[in-house]
Structures are given as structure tokens and as C-alpha cells.
Amino acid sequence: MRKKVIIDCDPGIDDSLALMLALSMEEIEVLGITIVCGNVPVELGFANAKKVLRHMNRLDIPVYIGETRPLRREYVSAQDTHGEDGLGESFLPDVPGYRQKLSAVSYIIRTLREERCSVLALGPMTNLARALMADEEAFACLDEIVSMGGNFKSHGNCSPVAEYNYWCDPDAAAFVYEKMAGLGKLVHMIGLDVTRKIVLTPNLLSYLRRLDERHGAFVEAITKFYFDFHWEWEHIIGCVINDPLAVAYFADRSLCSGFAAYTAVETGGVSMGQSVVDQMGFLKREPNSIVLTETNALEFFYTFFGRLLHRSREDLDLLDQLC
Ligand code: RIB
Ligand code: CA
């Protein structure tokens, strides 16, 4: 049975890789893509999602434009990381038209009311928070939320303690986690503790390109800027590709392990955006999250390359030397 999903994202380089993977996994049925302000302003995110869909020959998938700014904070993009165009300054040609009449928030509500599905949240949670404010009842039918965001013990990537998606709109993240607690649902938190282990290295990229020139050239075009950023700021050779791990985990839970806990998100002060995970139960609150803390990078790349390139593990015989 295919798992139906709305992908809420801010493409964004790793969001784009996540969309490529999701569209290559037969277990996943992407009902629609909703764009939120995050890595790039929402119009740019819309343009980039269409570029990825064109590359994947999937312009049948609808893309909806969402919130242009966080609930309360000033909007701060991550174009320093993803490039001015949001795709590593690859400046790929635009895909004209294709604009939906429905807003992202209305689409999320309508879809949740029409069919059982999940949400893959790969950007700030502003669209989800607005949808919950407008129609909390619609979320009773929600299967689950898998969120790339937050961190448990890993350090932050845009403040000492905060991960970008939850830092960009901490009020939205806090609101969604609290509402999920009230609905008795769990947010699967794919945070920096696991995503930092997923590094696309030059060798892995070269292998991808050797196996499939078209996909390899596209991934190379949008990640070269990201490689430079990672060398400068995280002093690693390669780039951490956060969002695709959330997609892979959504389809295959064996890829990550963790624990259930109550999680809250700090909305102000020096730790704004920090995901506060109550592992020991001090706050005596029922769990509202599954906090993923362990993953296997080699298994992830078997999934990523295997599905994107339609190759078996046997075909990917060099992967275990490259991870
Ligand atoms: O902190 C990493 C997350 O923030 C990723 O989803 C990246 O695309 C940005 O949205
Ligand atoms: Ca993202």
C-alpha cells in the first residue's frame, strides 16, 4: 500500500534532493507539494520546486504557494547556504506558469479532510501552524508528521543550540508540537543528530555521476555551492543532505532509531528555536515526538542511489567503500 504524503518544503538544495528521492520511491505517493518561506522566499521556492519536477518529468504534481513570512519573527532566509537562487546558484531556466489558485494552507486542510495522508515537513512549520489554527479538526485524520528539524544532543546550525527550520519560525514549531500533543499524535523528529551523518562527499557525487550522467549532472549543479559553504562553516569535505533522510525514513523506519519523548520548542531568548527534548520525563508530559538519534549512512545511500537510479544493492558495489 503506497503511503500518501504532502511534502511541505523550502527548496532549497537538500529539499530538492528529497523531492527527487520521494518521487523515485514506489512506496510513496506524493499528493502535492506545498512551499513555505525558509531557505528562500516562497516565490523562489515555488520556482525551484518546478525545476525539480521538470528534471524528474513529474510536472503532474501540483505545487502550492504558502506563507511568505514566519508567524511572529522577522523572516531570515538561508540564501547564504543555498545560494541566491536557492539551488546553489545553478540558475537553471524557469518553468513558466503552473500556479495553483489554492493556497498551501487551504490545500493542506482540504487534502487532510479528503484522505488519510501524512506530511513530510522539510522546512519551517509555518504552513502547518497556519493550517492547524484554521482547522485543527482536519488534523484528526492526519497519519503522521515526519519533520526534518530540531536537534537532541547535536549542536545547532544557525545558533549554538537551534536548527534552522525551528529557528526560522520557532513559534510555528512550538505550536505544532503542542497541538500534536493535544491530538495524541507524534512528530517524528529527524534532527541534526542523525542528518549530520548523511554527507554527500565528492566521491559519492562522482559515483552518482558515473552511474547516471543526467541525475549526476543535476545534483552536481545544485550542490557545488553547498560544498563550499560546508567547507567554510562546518569544515567538512562534502555537504550534509538533511531532508532526503526524512524521506527515506518515512518509507523505511529501519533507517533511523530513537525514542519517544515530550518535546517543546523554545520561542525566545538566546536559545530561540531550540528543540527541548524531555528524555527523562521531568515535565511529566505524554510524548508528542519520536526523536531519532541513530542512523546508518551507508544504508541511506543504498536507498537514495538505489531508488533514484533504479539500481540494486549489487549494482551499487562501490558504495560500501565510499561511505
Ligand atoms: O537545518 C537544515 C534544514 O533547514 C533543512 O531542511 C534545510 O533545507 C533547511 O530548510
Ligand atoms: Ca528544507
Side-chain angles (χ1 to χ4, degrees):
M1 177 80 165
R2 301 183 78 194
K3 301 179 79 170
K4 296 181 177 184
V5 70
I6 298 168
I7 301 181
D8 189 70
C9 57
D10 57 337
I13 295 168
D14 57 334
D15 301 73
S16 301
L17 300 178
L19 291 175
M20 293 170 73
L21 177 57
L23 294 169
S24 306
M25 298 190 89
E26 62 277 2
E27 305 93 318
I28 296 177
E29 180 182 350
V30 180
L31 299 176
I33 297 168
T34 51
I35 306 298
V36 66
C37 63
N39 287 323
V40 290
V42 76
E43 284 291 341
L44 253 183
F46 172 60
N48 291 340
K50 291 189 290 179
K51 293 174 184 179
V52 175
L53 291 178
R54 174 180 58 198
H55 174 75
M56 297 301 287
N57 301 314
R58 290 301 309 273
L59 281 165
D60 58 297
I61 304 265
V63 183
Y64 300 87
I65 296 178
E67 296 300 298
T68 59
R69 62 177 310 276
L71 297 185
R72 179 181 59 88
R73 282 197 67 197
E74 280 309 301
Y75 166 49
V76 178
S77 83
Q79 285 165 285
D80 59 336
T81 310
H82 292 259
E84 274 312 300
D85 67 342
L87 285 184
E89 299 189 353
S90 52
F91 299 116
L92 299 172
D94 277 329
V95 177
Y98 201 68
R99 192 172 288 270
Q100 304 291 332
K101 288 191 176 56
L102 217 48
S103 72
V105 171
S106 302
Y107 171 75
I108 290 168
I109 291 168
R110 187 189 72 180
T111 307
L112 287 175
R113 281 193 170 276
E114 280 176 356
E115 51 193 320
R116 246 188 115 71
C117 67
S118 294
V119 174
L120 259 171
L122 307 180
M125 292 181 144
T126 317
N127 287 341
L128 291 180
R130 289 285 186 212
L132 271 162
M133 289 171 187
D135 187 354
E136 183 176 334
E137 211 179 276
F139 283 75
C141 321
L142 169 76
D143 243 352
E144 57 187 2
I145 294 180
V146 175
S147 160
M148 190 282 131
N151 44 312
F152 172 48
K153 291 192 170 163
S154 182
H155 61 279
N157 63 2
C158 56
S159 93
V161 292
E163 173 281 324
Y164 175 78
N165 285 334
Y166 294 4
W167 176 84
C168 178
D169 194 343
D171 303 277
F175 185 79
V176 170
Y177 272 85
E178 267 320 300
K179 282 296 178 186
M180 289 303 116
L183 289 166
K185 293 185 182 289
L186 299 171
V187 179
H188 295 249
M189 188 178 102
I190 299 285
L192 295 175
D193 303 81
V194 284
T195 64
R196 276 205 163 101
K197 295 170 185 164
I198 310 299
V199 181
L200 180 68
T201 64
N203 277 346
L204 281 167
L205 182 55
S206 174
Y207 188 41
L208 172 64
R209 188 151 186 177
R210 294 290 181 196
L211 291 173
D212 186 304
E213 172 58 24
R214 195 176 80 86
H215 282 316
F218 185 84
V219 172
E220 188 168 313
I222 69 172
T223 56
K224 58 183 182 307
F225 187 96
Y226 215 27
F227 274 47
D228 296 343
F229 174 86
H230 279 78
W231 169 249
E232 192 179 338
W233 290 93
E234 303 248 353
H235 210 50
I236 59 173
I237 301 287
C239 58
V240 174
I241 52 172
N242 306 281
D243 294 331
L245 182 60
V247 172
Y249 169 81
F250 176 66
D252 176 1
R253 299 296 142 108
S254 70
L255 282 170
C256 299
S257 61
F259 58 89
Y262 171 73
T263 295
V265 178
E266 185 55 75
T267 57
V270 69
S271 54
M272 180 186 70
Q274 181 175 14
S275 43
V276 181
V277 176
D278 185 15
Q279 185 185 30
M280 306 306 289
F282 290 112
L283 303 176
K284 299 192 181 357
R285 295 288 304 271
E286 285 301 307
N288 61 347
S289 63
I290 299 288
V291 179
L292 285 311
T293 56
E294 298 299 329
T295 191
N296 180 314
L298 175 57
E299 286 305 317
F300 165 78
F301 279 104
Y302 273 126
T303 300
F304 186 27
F305 283 22
R307 299 309 177 79
L308 183 63
L309 308 181
H310 307 294
R311 300 265 185 152
S312 68
R313 288 175 79 100
E314 292 65 43
D315 287 346
L316 298 170
D317 55 332
L318 292 189
L319 260 191
D320 59 352
Q321 301 167 40
L322 299 175
C323 278

